[in-house]
Amino acid sequence: TAVEEYRRRFPAGSYKSDAEQLERALLISLGPLESLPEPRRDRLTKLLLEAGTRKESLTGLELLTLGGLLLTRGQALDAAKAYSEAILSSTSESLKRAAKLGRSRAMRALGKPSAALAELDSLPGPDNNRLDVILERCLVLRAQGKFEPAIKEYVLVLKAIEHEDANAWWEISEALARTYVEAKQARTARTFLEGVRNKDRTFGGDPARRKRMIQLMREVDLLAARGD
């Protein structure tokens, strides 16, 4: 009958599945994950996980997005799996690069810096000059306790971007200051922090960053007092 044919061609739940697929695409299109309000991030995570539970085929971009969402939730192992699936399912070289970078972050979060470094080393040569790759490599080096190579990279980046990206410059300055502290270089850390404070006492106009940097200066004073 016509009703049976309709039910065969349009099974129950198919409309819901299509609608959720469209919703996933819309949420992903809204921009970087960090710019999405938390309720929307939670909704997108729920939609992607439910689609996976139903054995729906997620696109490479959806898997890449899921990896990022899971990583921000602290689910590094699940994030690594999502990134791996993204690499296998996509033909886009730029998406594969992003997934390998994400998998490096996941490995680092799992306390596996050597595996994280292997992910970075697998990237094509030109990608090693990208800022996001350089900064991830610095974090991996710090996780391995190799502070001097990380410090050198941070210093080179700061010189390169000083007049190009003010916000990134301040973020990397904070990372460099923390690396000096991790390396127990109290005198160098104090000199550097005083220098950036003299450059701009608001530390780039971000109240939260200013608070963190002042706290870091206190940590440096304690480090120096202990004679570390």
Side-chain angles (χ1 to χ4, degrees):
T1 66
V3 172
E4 290 172 341
E5 176 64 13
Y6 177 86
R7 288 175 175 169
R8 185 187 67 79
R9 294 180 60 187
F10 304 104
S14 63
Y15 288 132
K16 180 182 179 182
S17 177
D18 290 344
E20 289 185 350
Q21 186 175 357
L22 287 172
E23 186 180 359
R24 297 197 307 262
L26 174 61
L27 288 170
I28 291 173
S29 72
L30 292 177
L33 293 179
E34 57 270 20
S35 68
L36 279 181
E38 187 173 351
R40 289 185 173 179
R41 288 201 305 271
D42 290 344
R43 173 62 178 167
L44 180 54
T45 304
K46 182 174 183 290
L47 289 170
L48 290 169
L49 289 174
E50 287 179 348
T53 301
R54 293 194 298 268
K55 305 299 182 184
E56 288 184 29
S57 295
L58 298 179
T59 67
L61 180 57
E62 286 177 326
L63 288 164
L64 178 67
T65 302
L66 179 59
L69 290 165
L70 292 172
L71 194 55
T72 59
R73 287 182 161 202
Q75 297 173 241
L77 184 59
D78 291 331
K81 292 177 181 177
Y83 286 131
S84 296
E85 291 179 25
I87 292 169
L88 292 173
S89 68
S90 178
T91 58
S92 166
E93 290 303 318
S94 62
L95 192 147
K96 287 182 179 181
R97 183 197 72 83
K100 285 185 177 183
L101 182 58
R103 197 159 61 179
S104 173
R105 291 168 177 153
M107 290 297 103
R108 177 166 51 81
L110 288 168
K112 299 179 178 180
S114 295
L117 190 60
E119 292 292 342
L120 299 178
D121 288 342
S122 72
L123 292 169
D127 283 341
N128 288 295
N129 295 321
R130 293 178 62 99
L131 182 59
D132 53 358
V133 175
I134 292 172
L135 297 181
E136 172 60 20
R137 190 177 297 274
C138 286
L139 290 170
V140 171
L141 289 169
R142 288 165 63 185
Q144 292 180 315
K146 298 177 180 178
F147 302 115
E148 286 304 321
I151 288 169
K152 289 178 181 178
E153 286 284 5
Y154 282 138
V155 170
L156 288 173
V157 170
L158 286 177
K159 290 178 179 178
I161 70 169
E162 184 173 6
H163 303 295
E164 296 180 10
D165 189 333
N167 189 59
W169 191 92
W170 282 103
E171 288 179 1
I172 296 167
S173 292
E174 182 178 353
L176 175 56
R178 291 191 179 281
T179 308
Y180 284 134
V181 173
E182 291 166 7
K184 299 189 183 304
Q185 298 180 18
R187 183 177 300 176
T188 306
R190 165 55 75 175
T191 301
F192 177 74
L193 284 164
E194 287 178 350
V196 295
R197 183 174 61 177
N198 290 336
K199 178 183 177 73
D200 181 353
R201 300 189 73 83
T202 71
F203 294 96
D206 183 338
R209 181 190 296 123
R210 180 177 182 275
K211 184 177 180 180
R212 292 194 303 270
M213 294 291 258
I214 290 174
Q215 178 59 36
L216 197 55
M217 295 179 84
R218 292 174 182 147
E219 291 177 26
V220 169
D221 289 340
L222 289 173
L223 187 67
R226 291 199 304 264
D228 291 343

